[in-house]
Amino acid sequence: MNLKLIKELPELIENKVISKEVALSIEQYYHSKQNNSPNKLFMVFGVLGSILVGLGIILILAHNWDDFTRSTKTIFAFLPLLIGQFFVGFSILKKKSATWKEASGTFLFFAVGASISLVAQIYNIPGNMSSFLLTWILLCLPLIYLLKSNSIMILHLVFITWYACSYGYSFMNYGNSPWLYLALLALSLPHYWQLLKHKLDANITSIINWLVPLSLIITLGTFVEHEEALGFLLYLLLFSLFYNIGKIPYFENQKLRRNGFLITGSLGIVTILLIASFRWLWKDIIRIDSFQVQELYMSAILFLMSILTLVYLYLKHKVKSFNIFQFVFVIFTVLFFIGINNEIVPAILVNMLIFALGVVTVKIGADKFHFGVLNYGLLIIAALVTCRFFDTDMSFVLRGLLFVGVGVGFFLTNYYMLKKQKSKTNSLKQ
Amino acid sequence: MKTLYIFILFIIVVCAQLFVPSQMVFQQEDVLKTGTAFKFKTQPVDPSDPFKGKYIFLNYEASTFSTADTTWQRNEDVYVTIKHDSLGFVQVTEVTKNEPKSEFYIKAKVDWYNEFEKELNIVYPFNKFYMDETKAYNAELAHMKAQQDSIPNNTYALVFIKNGKAVLDNVFINEIPIAKYVEK
């Protein structure tokens, strides 16, 4: 990984940037570092190989070999399971490397699913997808902790999301929410906590930083059963919670692209607000018949969690300047309940809110010298203008001028930033 | 010492992982060995399952039951009491919400209630018959052809019943197991 740096060392010595001794110690440092860390590439291929072999076995056995008797087929159904268990047991007893544990664990994960589904096939048990997935997940959950396995953690997150979708979005289960999903997610969080504590910079941690919020976003819809309008509020509250979680030092101090909570939160907030900036939404959709529903209780819980995160951030002195993104949930909740009886006020205020968010984002981008964030802010404003393009009675001239204005804004802000950056590097050189 | 604890815990997990499929096998074997056989007239179609492979989906003639009761909830558990008719085929005598005292009954689920026809549609827990993937499509064709034959009741599923549990053993066309019939 640091080969590039080591290759450049001779050039640096030649130009007398560093001394020979320094070059030598740099080289030694990276060599010793490499020896300490297990071979990541080998681990990735080990896990990928296990996944492919596991899935391959499922497919081969799914052929349903008619020529074998029922008992022969049953033995074959157990075979992959026993092989997987043997290898996992072997890696635990012999204290094998993480590569061994990850690969054998992944294989065992698929072997468990294969054997259950094959027995069901042999005896023609139709079963239903969600209960099958639930059994599978529960039987493999302990492996996360016994093997300290990250690949099983990832599989766990993917499969519990699948479970929640197949349970909650299914037509047959109308009116039921996959509460067990939340329990299963909670059961895997201690492992995530360990990763955040000890391996904050590892790639695996940043993958999970993305998977956890994505899983929750996908499954939140399964908890909306009675009052669909409250789904809007629920989603906005979830995104706001993510945004505030993304501001916790563990995540905030990392590179932006590793901070899945902050990015999904921010994008989600803007998307929901853009939808809510249309008047028809408040006129036709936002309507509540009953307040005695689970959606309302869940909204209350998410609201409280956002408040608690804010309080935590405040106590840790992380709320330095007022960032409107962190308080959107309070404003939107108030607007939402005004919106039940009134369609004009919330629509106008949401438009102003989006504009404010855009401006704040541009300012954050300018302060941090981050072109991505700066342009994201401008994009928010551009999206707002585009939305208004469709549903207002403004004259074409006015709309045209608005677009030209936003376009010029893009040019000017980027130009200003570039110039500022240049002067900064110039001053550094001098 | 720590490794030993982890290993012991792992052995418990292994036992659980083995227990679930084994218990499925024993339950089904028990019904097949000691249960009573019933013939269900069928109308299959052929789909596919990502984990379990190709199967034919069986539609039973016994999956509708005429009743004036309209209180059925979708997906609700019901108990279907059955008996043999004069030709050895199944006949539904009663559908109840509580477990009946009779000897032969099946635990099934409500699909929907047809208020116009006053008919209850039932989903039986044995509506899929898994087959060799090369044979499933041919089985469907063969079955369609057999249905058009003039002989009545020529396709049926053989199901073993014990204490409300049911295991689908085989599907027959003209008294020949469907897998064999397709090979001809």
Side-chain angles (χ1 to χ4, degrees):
Chain A
M1 222 182 283
N2 295 299
L3 226 61
K4 215 167 149 190
L5 190 79
I6 291 171
K7 269 184 188 164
E8 273 172 17
L9 287 179
E11 192 186 323
L12 293 175
I13 299 168
E14 218 168 90
N15 294 323
K16 292 185 181 154
V17 180
I18 53 172
S19 68
K20 256 187 185 169
E21 289 77 40
V22 175
L24 205 70
S25 56
I26 288 177
E27 214 175 326
Q28 270 169 353
Y29 170 73
Y30 281 116
H31 271 301
S32 66
K33 208 176 165 189
Q34 229 165 23
N35 289 338
N36 286 337
S37 67
N39 195 333
K40 277 182 199 156
L41 202 65
F42 192 58
M43 192 187 291
V44 169
F45 283 126
V47 170
L48 275 181
S50 300
I51 292 177
L52 288 174
V53 171
L55 286 174
I57 288 177
I58 291 181
L59 285 178
I60 292 169
L61 293 174
H63 171 81
N64 201 350
W65 305 83
D66 263 355
D67 307 329
F68 294 134
T69 60
R70 197 170 269 158
S71 44
T72 323
K73 280 200 269 186
T74 310
I75 292 169
F76 273 114
F78 279 87
L79 207 58
L81 184 62
L82 290 170
I83 294 172
Q85 286 171 340
F86 170 77
F87 278 109
V88 172
F90 180 74
S91 1
I92 292 176
L93 267 188
K94 294 280 168 188
K95 290 182 185 160
K96 286 285 184 183
S97 65
T99 312
W100 262 85
K101 287 184 177 169
E102 295 281 353
S104 59
T106 309
F107 181 79
L108 181 56
F109 184 92
F110 284 102
V112 169
S115 68
I116 299 173
S117 58
L118 285 168
V119 169
Q121 180 207 58
I122 293 163
Y123 290 97
N124 299 303
I125 310 166
N128 67 13
M129 195 63 171
S130 51
S131 63
F132 163 60
L133 288 172
L134 182 65
T135 320
W136 186 352
I137 293 164
L138 282 174
L139 286 176
C140 292
L141 176 67
L143 294 178
I144 298 178
Y145 295 99
L146 292 179
L147 296 173
K148 293 199 174 78
S149 165
N150 299 320
S151 49
I152 298 183
M153 171 79 184
I154 290 175
L155 286 170
H156 179 80
L157 287 176
V158 172
F159 273 72
I160 59 172
T161 311
W162 189 1
Y163 160 73
C165 291
S166 101
Y167 186 91
Y169 289 125
S170 134
F171 180 61
M172 285 297 271
N173 277 321
Y174 183 77
N176 289 322
S177 300
W179 298 107
L180 266 175
Y181 161 81
L182 294 178
L184 290 168
L185 182 69
L187 282 173
S188 70
L189 288 183
H191 182 77
Y192 184 31
W193 176 243
Q194 288 298 318
L195 279 179
L196 285 177
K197 240 173 141 182
H198 302 298
K199 288 185 179 171
L200 194 57
D201 299 323
N203 286 327
I204 197 80
T205 315
S206 63
I207 292 175
I208 295 173
N209 283 347
W210 277 92
L211 278 180
V212 171
L214 283 177
S215 170
L216 281 165
I217 292 167
I218 293 169
T219 49
L220 183 66
T222 62
F223 294 95
V224 181
E225 301 284 358
H226 314 284
E227 295 290 344
E228 265 130 38
L230 275 168
F232 271 98
L233 182 63
L234 264 180
Y235 264 101
L236 188 108
L237 289 171
L238 183 75
F239 289 130
S240 302
L241 179 62
F242 285 170
Y243 191 89
N244 281 325
I245 289 177
K247 284 282 170 191
I248 291 175
Y250 278 116
F251 303 104
E252 167 90 300
N253 297 341
Q254 299 197 42
K255 280 192 191 121
L256 192 60
R257 70 182 150 84
R258 300 169 65 105
N259 195 344
F261 283 101
L262 192 81
I263 296 180
T264 51
S266 175
L267 287 175
I269 289 172
V270 172
T271 314
I272 295 282
L273 287 181
L274 280 174
I275 298 170
S277 72
F278 286 95
R279 213 174 114 187
W280 55 258
L281 184 99
W282 298 96
K283 197 175 155 198
D284 299 333
I285 310 275
I286 306 294
R287 228 181 254 144
I288 293 178
D289 300 321
S290 158
F291 282 95
Q292 297 287 326
V293 286
Q294 71 181 40
E295 286 88 339
L296 206 69
Y297 301 129
M298 287 187 70
S299 306
I301 291 169
L302 282 176
F303 191 88
L304 222 86
M305 283 168 82
S306 293
I307 295 270
L308 286 177
T309 330
L310 267 182
V311 170
Y312 172 82
L313 287 173
Y314 185 77
L315 290 177
K316 291 263 168 181
H317 305 290
K318 283 287 161 191
V319 191
K320 283 172 204 142
S321 57
F322 180 75
N323 177 354
I324 196 166
F325 263 101
Q326 288 177 282
F327 299 93
V328 164
F329 69 100
V330 182
I331 305 168
F332 190 81
T333 310
V334 173
L335 288 181
F336 185 86
F337 287 105
I338 296 174
I340 295 170
N341 298 314
N342 189 324
E343 57 180 80
I344 300 170
V345 176
I348 294 172
L349 289 177
V350 164
N351 277 287
M352 288 163 65
L353 184 59
I354 299 172
F355 187 74
L357 289 176
V359 172
V360 166
T361 314
V362 171
K363 195 182 168 296
I364 294 174
D367 289 348
K368 282 190 178 171
F369 258 109
H370 197 302
F371 278 89
V373 175
L374 175 93
N375 285 310
Y376 172 55
L378 289 167
L379 262 176
I380 294 174
I381 298 170
L384 179 66
V385 174
T386 315
C387 286
R388 291 295 72 75
F389 191 86
F390 294 112
D391 70 347
T392 46
D393 297 327
M394 277 187 276
S395 73
F396 284 110
V397 180
L398 202 62
R399 288 189 215 176
L401 281 176
L402 262 176
F403 268 80
V404 171
V406 174
V408 169
F410 264 100
F411 279 122
L412 283 183
T413 38
N414 278 298
Y415 178 71
Y416 168 75
M417 279 267 281
L418 265 175
K419 225 173 132 184
K420 217 169 151 188
Q421 201 179 27
K422 259 186 196 161
S423 67
K424 221 176 177 181
T425 44
N426 280 339
S427 67
L428 264 177
K429 269 181 193 168
Q430 286 158 10
Chain B
M1 212 42 195
K2 205 178 157 238
T3 316
L4 192 69
Y5 286 138
I6 292 176
F7 191 72
I8 291 168
L9 287 174
F10 173 66
I11 293 297
I12 296 171
V13 175
V14 164
C15 292
Q17 285 174 348
L18 289 171
F19 173 75
V20 171
S22 317
Q23 179 245 11
M24 282 163 78
V25 170
F26 290 133
Q27 245 177 31
Q28 310 292 314
E29 281 294 339
D30 178 48
V31 176
L32 281 176
K33 286 208 178 96
T34 57
T36 312
F38 281 85
K39 293 175 183 173
F40 283 71
K41 285 178 225 166
T42 61
Q43 314 142 348
V45 278
D46 157 49
S48 160
D49 181 300
F51 290 105
K52 303 176 197 164
K54 284 270 183 192
Y55 60 86
I56 47 176
F57 191 82
L58 299 159
N59 249 331
Y60 297 105
E61 283 184 22
S63 60
T64 52
F65 179 68
S66 294
T67 169
D69 188 354
T70 57
T71 58
W72 309 100
Q73 299 279 326
R74 192 183 172 78
N75 221 17
E76 169 187 32
D77 283 338
V78 284
Y79 297 88
V80 183
T81 310
I82 49 172
K83 64 170 193 182
H84 289 108
D85 71 0
S86 55
L87 291 167
F89 285 98
V90 81
Q91 199 178 3
V92 177
T93 53
E94 198 187 6
V95 180
T96 51
K97 290 179 185 178
N98 298 317
E99 207 166 330
K101 290 206 173 81
S102 56
E103 197 184 352
F104 301 122
Y105 64 94
I106 306 161
K107 195 179 171 194
K109 280 191 189 296
V110 170
D111 190 4
W112 61 294
Y113 182 72
N114 185 336
E115 284 191 23
F116 184 69
E117 304 264 355
K118 296 212 182 316
E119 264 180 356
L120 177 68
N121 287 276
I122 307 157
V123 184
Y124 288 109
F126 46 86
N127 53 8
K128 289 175 179 175
F129 182 67
Y130 291 91
M131 292 197 66
D132 192 303
E133 63 174 333
T134 51
K135 291 178 188 166
Y137 178 66
N138 290 339
E140 189 198 349
L141 292 183
H143 182 272
M144 262 161 59
K145 223 174 136 199
Q147 289 264 299
Q148 289 156 6
D149 286 355
S150 51
I151 324 157
N153 306 334
N154 58 353
T155 67
Y156 66 88
L158 189 65
V159 180
F160 285 81
I161 312 277
K162 189 191 175 187
N163 301 332
K165 288 207 177 66
V167 180
L168 170 57
D169 183 56
N170 217 331
V171 177
F172 292 87
I173 299 179
N174 297 336
E175 299 298 330
I176 303 166
I178 191 162
K180 285 250 165 56
Y181 186 90
V182 177
E183 280 172 2
K184 281 203 299 188

